[in-house]
Amino acid sequence: MQLQQPIFSAGGIYKRYSSLLEKLGITTFQDFLYHFPHRYEDFSQIKIISALENGETVTVRGTVLSIKNSYTRFHKTLQKAMITDGTGTIEIMWFNQPFLTKNIKTNDEIVLSGQIQVTGNKISMTSPEYEIISTHNPDTIHTGRLVPVYPETRGVSSKWLRRQIFKLLKENKFTLTDSLPAEIKQQYNFPQLYDALQQIHFPQSYTEVEQAKQRLAFDELFYLQLKALHRKQMWKQRKLTTAFKIDNYKTQIDTMIRSLPFPLTNAQKRELNSIFADLTSDQPMNRLLQGDVGSGKTIVAALTMYMAILNDKQAVIMAPTEILAEQHYKSLSKLFTPLGINVDIITGSTKKIKNKTLSKANNEDKNNKTGPNILVGTHALLYNKADFPNAGVVVIDEQHRFGVEQRALMREKGNNPHVLTMTATPIPRTMALTVYADLDVSYLDEMPFGRKPIKTWLVPSEKRQGAYEWIAKQIGETASQAFIICPFIEESENMQTVKAASVEFERLRKEVFPQLKLGILHGKMKAKEKDDILMQFKNRLFDILVATPVVEVGIDIPNATIIVIEASERFGLSQLHQLRGRVGRGDKQSYCLLFAETKNDQTFTRLKAMETTNSGAKLAELDLQIRGSGDLYGTMQSGYKLLKIASFSDKDLLTKARTAAKTIYSKINDYPLLIEQLLELNEQKISQD
Ligand code: ADP
Ligand code: MG
């Protein structure tokens, strides 16, 4: 059998359970084996009945003397059994499980795990885990050991999962290929893959659990890194037709920089130089530009695109929403139209009108004097027939908002263009080195001069009313606007979140700010609707925008100077920082007010960091230390789960995996099993970038 075989295709019980299992993310037998326990029930202490003490959680083994059903009031049933092990007897009770008298018979050998009650001379256990032992079923998996407890779903209990996983491991009908090189296993004293799986599901001790976890976590980080190295290698094989000339165009670039209404920050200059250095190579650039919201990534991208145009190439920039695309279109037009450079846009709504220019761009003469020099767009760029064979530079803004395939597709549409991806979500260094090992990473670690840091306050609940009054006063006096971000309820926005937001909206509108105009924005709205609301807000048609947290408000609304974040403890610091970045984009002083629903020392310290730290990179690092990477980066790439068991906060293991991957990749031809996996990667196109 193949590990990759879909569960449903195996028929029988597998087929029947396949849709339930899918809810747990289990679709193949491999997923099944990699469905790890999130904790263990410690039933490893086995005692004789005469030695049992009140309150302890133990396992006893004995023979069933009797078992029977009895009826209590209200048609409830009670199952009572007596068990002996020669040193004493114990009474067992279960409730409302009449089928037990069919499963458990007098004289059966039974193992029971649970909590002991001793009253007077009577020893008993209520609702213990139990297991019948026989010669063909000698192992206990639910009792008498460290018992794995799994993430469950309705209809799929830990008990059921335990039995199935035990069976899969025991029968071992799959070709489980352990492709981690033997030398690495030896170096770090890792168990074999099969043993590690056996140990994480059915450990003999917590030490075994730890060993297994180390091995399996190492695997994850090692393969991530190996794949990144491979992608880097593949990227290196791409060749540009011609390398860019940079020096010839220094004057033009300098003139443009001097014509800007502001001086570039040192960070912008530095990273622009790195980019220009990349552009002179005949190997296409593959660079990620990270920088907090407002750090000025757009102008860096614009100058990069300008260099492409000076080199007689086109430039394409893709943004995740129409409104962002419009924004880029406007600012790029302002910058370039006076120079006779033609900027055009293609989005879902402009598609029809602009197709003409695009097809021209497609059939252009070699120097492309007819088509647009700069093309701005949304996803519509991808799903249009037109390619951009003359694109010298492709920019992908807010890259994390695009799927892996979309980014790959964008690249394919150009003819080996230089690629600049940008993100405002800074990733801690240790993590970037692993996940983005194939990219060159730039960081704009400096805000434009004169930008006022956003004043941030963690507001105690007794000051809520006062805060509302202050907001109303601010809006009245400075004619500024505010965001109010509703509590974060679920990862993906569901109706519950929307409903909660609507209720909050009504309350704020009627009771708190009756004199102001309020609007609402949530994730269940259509893209067009969202854009309209944002446009109205930008045009000051209302004073306060109430929004659900998953709605990304990536656009520039310089007149918004206040942001209120409800239940802020439910966010990671990076997320809070992202949200906070919605304000502070103009020259007025901006404010961020954090409310929290639960208060403990850890929450307090964490949120207090928001008051003192304005750097996204620092906050991301801090977040990783405090909360670990699980919730933060676990689902970084459009919901694609990156890590199951490893954590990016485990620096030690990260370093080990990185070193190992480098060593192994340098002699990859010696490892046919690994090559096979990397080839699969090419086919599946699951490459990160
Ligand atoms: P982001 O990095 O979030 O994409 P933008 O590129 O949109 O940020 O820049 C935010 C604002 O800052 C824009 O209005 C832009 O014109 C301005 N800006 C960019 N660089 C500088 C600078 N060096 N000095 C002053 N303002 C700048
Ligand atoms: Mg931006």
Side-chain angles (χ1 to χ4, degrees), residues 24 35 37-39 41 129 141-142 147-153 155-165 202:
L24 293 170
H35 188 65
H38 57 76
R39 65 184 181 90
E41 201 80 72
E129 289 290 334
I141 57 171
H142 311 297
V147 175
V149 182
Y150 295 96
E152 304 174 344
T153 184
V156 184
S157 66
S158 273
K159 191 161 187 166
W160 188 87
L161 286 162
R162 223 175 273 147
R163 216 179 308 128
Q164 298 304 325
I165 293 172
F202 300 101

Side-chain angles (χ1 to χ4, degrees), residues 294 297-298 324 327-328 397-398 422 424 554 585:
K297 295 183 289 294
T298 315
L324 268 175
Q327 195 172 287
H328 283 322
D397 194 13
E398 305 289 341
M422 308 200 288
R585 293 175 162 231

Side-chain angles (χ1 to χ4, degrees), residues 26-41:
I26 303 175
T27 55
T28 65
F29 284 97
Q30 166 131 340
D31 299 333
F32 221 143
L33 288 181
Y34 279 78
H35 188 65
F36 299 136
H38 57 76
R39 65 184 181 90
Y40 301 86
E41 201 80 72

Side-chain angles (χ1 to χ4, degrees), residues 97 118 215 301 394 441 621 653 662 672:
Q97 300 186 46
V118 180
R215 156 76 214 250
V394 163
V441 180
E621 202 65 65
L653 201 66
K662 274 191 193 147

Side-chain angles (χ1 to χ4, degrees), residues 425-473:
T425 315
I427 288 155
R429 215 185 99 79
T430 44
M431 198 180 150
L433 281 173
T434 300
V435 184
Y436 295 139
D438 55 328
L439 303 181
D440 295 304
V441 180
S442 285
Y443 192 63
L444 294 183
D445 52 1
E446 185 185 0
M447 279 295 186
F449 180 76
R451 205 56 69 72
K452 295 190 185 79
I454 300 161
K455 286 201 173 122
T456 302
W457 296 301
L458 177 57
V459 187
S461 53
E462 65 272 15
K463 294 212 176 143
R464 177 179 283 270
Q465 199 47 44
Y468 283 148
E469 282 158 22
W470 177 85
I471 292 169
K473 194 161 154 265

